[in-house]
Amino acid sequence: MFWKKKDKEKEQEKEQGSEKTSFKKAAKGVLYGMASHGHVMSALRTRMYLEHLFMFITLGDMLGIPVLPPYYSLRILPYAVPNIKSWKMRVFRERDFTDAIF
């Protein structure tokens, strides 16, 4: 009988512990949203623009705008091949004025 009491006590402690961890996760999410979500999104947006610029400079001749001599483009080509299809889709995508706002 003594071990059953211990088991019940352990289960209650686990439930209280899970409530504490869920509260901790919720508080952590709220603090993240209030303090750093905007900064993270801004950093990701800046990274996206820099990647667009890099792809444009290195592979601009695919769009008909030769910026970098083809020798260097060919040296970088094996590393850029996985991103070419998505880059072309992003560059040639139709845009409207709401894209500039967000």
Side-chain angles (χ1 to χ4, degrees), residues 9-71:
E9 289 175 0
K10 285 183 181 178
E11 288 178 6
Q12 288 176 350
E13 287 177 2
K14 283 184 182 178
E15 289 177 5
Q16 289 175 351
S18 67
E19 289 175 2
K20 286 181 183 177
T21 57
S22 65
F23 177 74
K24 203 173 187 179
K25 281 184 180 178
K28 191 176 180 180
V30 168
L31 287 176
Y32 167 76
M34 288 173 52
S36 61
H37 180 69
H39 296 292
V40 170
M41 294 305 292
S42 175
L44 288 174
R45 192 172 299 124
T46 302
R47 179 182 169 195
M48 179 186 71
Y49 291 140
L50 288 175
E51 285 182 0
H52 280 269
L53 182 64
F54 175 75
M55 293 291 285
F56 181 74
I57 289 173
T58 55
L59 302 173
D61 51 348
M62 288 181 138
L63 302 176
I65 305 167
V67 178
L68 200 64
Y71 172 75

